[in-house]
Amino acid sequence: DGVEETYIMVKPDGVQRGLVGEIISRFEKKGFLLKGLKLFQCPKELAEEHYRDLKDKSFYPKLINYITSGPVVCMAWAGVGVVASARKLIGATNPLQAEPGTIRGDLAVQTGRNVVHGSDSPENGHREVVGSGRERQENRQWKGRIRKSTK
Ligand code: DAT
Ligand code: MG
């Protein structure tokens, strides 16, 4: 049916700058379904797992420091085509190249402080939302309940 899920995360700079509401608003207004949300201090091991594909990049140590430097807001959003659409709403990785009207285009200037994460494929969307192992069990407690309670 084309319904996907994507993992959206307001990064520590977005939380510190008070942009959580603004960012949530953009996905709400677009019409996607918020399935779960929590404020979370990301442990180093989970940050390394999240960004494992980048571990050979020169900026990787800084990236891990940044993402674990303060609380993040974790969200699961669902909808038809939500993965690609969310990436469009977020804009290019380098905020200076992100189009005006996108979250990064409107709210950020540095690649290393680009305020928000969005999954890059439906497979990664599912993996990042559901998690694995110990996380998987814990995630059941905060994700995926809204559809039931609002209908
Ligand atoms: P995106 O977050 O747009 O999916 P990505 O997955 O390629 O981008 O990289 C993950 C994060 O790593 C990105 O949001 C910011 C950081 N990053 C990527 N490229 C970088 C670079 N050239 N210099 C510094 N940080 C970078
Ligand atoms: Mg990415």
Side-chain angles (χ1 to χ4, degrees), residues 3-10 23-24 27-28 31-40 72-79 82-83 86 116-119 124-131 139-147:
V3 176
E4 301 167 349
E5 55 194 340
T6 193
Y7 175 59
I8 302 296
M9 173 175 66
V10 183
I23 290 169
I24 291 175
F27 294 99
E28 284 187 320
F32 291 124
L33 177 70
L34 180 62
K35 288 184 73 185
L37 178 151
K38 69 175 176 183
L39 188 67
F40 181 64
V72 296
V73 172
C74 309
M75 293 177 275
W77 288 88
V82 71
V83 173
V116 65
H117 166 84
S119 308
N124 283 338
H126 184 73
R127 182 178 60 79
E128 290 172 355
V129 164
V130 175
N139 283 343
R140 288 214 184 87
Q141 291 163 19
W142 66 275
K143 289 172 179 163
R145 300 265 162 124
I146 289 176
R147 196 186 294 267

Side-chain angles (χ1 to χ4, degrees), residues 11 51 54 59 63 87 91-93 104 111-112 114 116-118 120:
K11 297 179 179 181
Y51 284 126
L54 300 172
F59 57 80
L63 178 61
R87 296 276 295 184
T93 304
R104 288 169 175 166
T111 302
N114 62 7
V116 65
H117 166 84
D120 60 10

Side-chain angles (χ1 to χ4, degrees), residues 58-120:
S58 59
F59 57 80
Y60 176 80
K62 276 189 181 168
L63 178 61
I64 299 300
N65 275 342
Y66 156 56
I67 220 71
T68 57
S69 67
V72 296
V73 172
C74 309
M75 293 177 275
W77 288 88
V80 175
V82 71
V83 173
S85 180
R87 296 276 295 184
K88 276 193 189 165
L89 292 173
I90 288 170
T93 304
N94 179 345
L96 293 181
Q97 265 134 44
E99 294 296 325
T102 65
I103 296 169
R104 288 169 175 166
D106 289 347
L107 305 176
V109 289
Q110 288 183 56
T111 302
R113 294 285 182 274
N114 62 7
V115 302
V116 65
H117 166 84
S119 308
D120 60 10

